[in-house]
Amino acid sequence: QMPAVTLWLFAIGGLVLASRQRTSRRPPGEFNRTVLAASFLFLAIAPLLVGFSYQRLRDSGAALVAGNCSEARERAVSSISLLSVRPQAYEILGYCDLQQGYPIEALAAMRKAVSYDRQDWNDHYGLAIALAVNDQNPLGEARRAFELDPRNEITQFELSTFEHSPPLGWPQAAQGVLIDGLESHGLDVSNL
């Protein structure tokens, strides 16, 4: 009786040997069935990954809104592990990092969110806050968020707050902008 641990090794070896024999007899132009099967398998699995990733992202957003950053972080990281191109997961990580006192990590997360979607005011809004908390000029990002959605009260408040605060007051002002944004439930991470 063969142990189950080594069975996969023999199966792969058999596939390699079988493919070597077939390649010499295969007529030119015949479509490789293995590639076709792998493509169909990918097409079947991809929607599942997207769905599982989105569910974890929604759970993460709900935990953030409920004030549970440890669960929000865990779910956001889980969502990223399945599908790493969702900017909202990085936003959630950034907001939790800001709330938990990790400004450098928050800045990295918010920059990552912006890199995935440069046309979403939410990402620029969060990046402006992270810049301000890190004693960097938030005005460019706050203006960009406002330009992308000028009628939004959240972007209006952020821009006005940073414009009317002295540079030494930006970190403190950022805390108020962060609280205002999260409590408004107007951010995309609040409504996933």
Side-chain angles (χ1 to χ4, degrees):
Q1 201 172 28
M2 185 181 318
V5 175
T6 58
L7 181 62
W8 66 270
L9 182 62
F10 288 103
I12 290 176
L15 285 172
V16 169
L17 290 173
S19 68
R20 284 187 186 163
Q21 289 178 351
R22 276 193 242 143
T23 56
S24 60
R25 291 186 269 150
R26 184 175 300 167
E30 183 179 314
F31 193 78
N32 188 342
R33 284 182 246 175
T34 305
V35 172
L36 182 63
S39 299
F40 282 127
L41 182 62
F42 175 77
L43 290 174
I45 291 175
L48 290 174
L49 289 176
V50 170
F52 287 138
S53 173
Y54 184 69
Q55 183 57 47
R56 291 174 185 178
L57 182 63
R58 286 185 58 178
D59 293 345
S60 179
L64 177 68
V65 169
N68 186 347
C69 267
S70 59
E71 183 179 339
R73 288 185 60 76
E74 181 183 317
R75 297 292 184 165
V77 168
S78 181
S79 175
I80 289 169
S81 72
L82 291 173
L83 189 64
S84 65
V85 297
R86 293 185 187 275
Q88 298 91 346
Y90 295 101
E91 286 176 56
I92 291 169
L93 291 176
Y95 288 130
C96 285
D97 286 337
L98 287 168
Q99 291 180 35
Q100 295 177 328
Y102 300 109
I104 295 169
E105 292 81 356
L107 184 57
M110 293 301 188
R111 282 190 168 136
K112 188 80 166 175
V114 168
S115 75
Y116 283 119
D117 190 355
R118 298 189 183 280
Q119 299 302 314
D120 186 347
W121 69 267
N122 285 277
D123 304 325
H124 295 280
Y125 174 89
L127 181 54
I129 295 170
L131 286 166
V133 169
N134 281 282
D135 290 316
Q136 297 179 34
N137 188 339
L139 290 173
E141 292 300 324
R143 285 185 187 115
R144 184 66 182 137
F146 176 76
E147 289 168 3
L148 290 168
D149 195 352
R151 292 181 291 204
N152 191 322
E153 291 178 12
I154 297 172
T155 62
Q156 293 169 4
F157 178 73
E158 179 183 57
L159 182 58
S160 175
T161 300
F162 287 136
E163 283 180 336
H164 294 100
S165 299
L168 291 177
W170 284 337
Q172 184 64 31
Q175 295 302 324
V177 172
L178 173 63
I179 291 167
D180 180 69
L182 291 175
E183 288 180 354
S184 74
H185 299 286
L187 300 173
D188 65 351
V189 295
S190 304
N191 302 301
L192 294 169

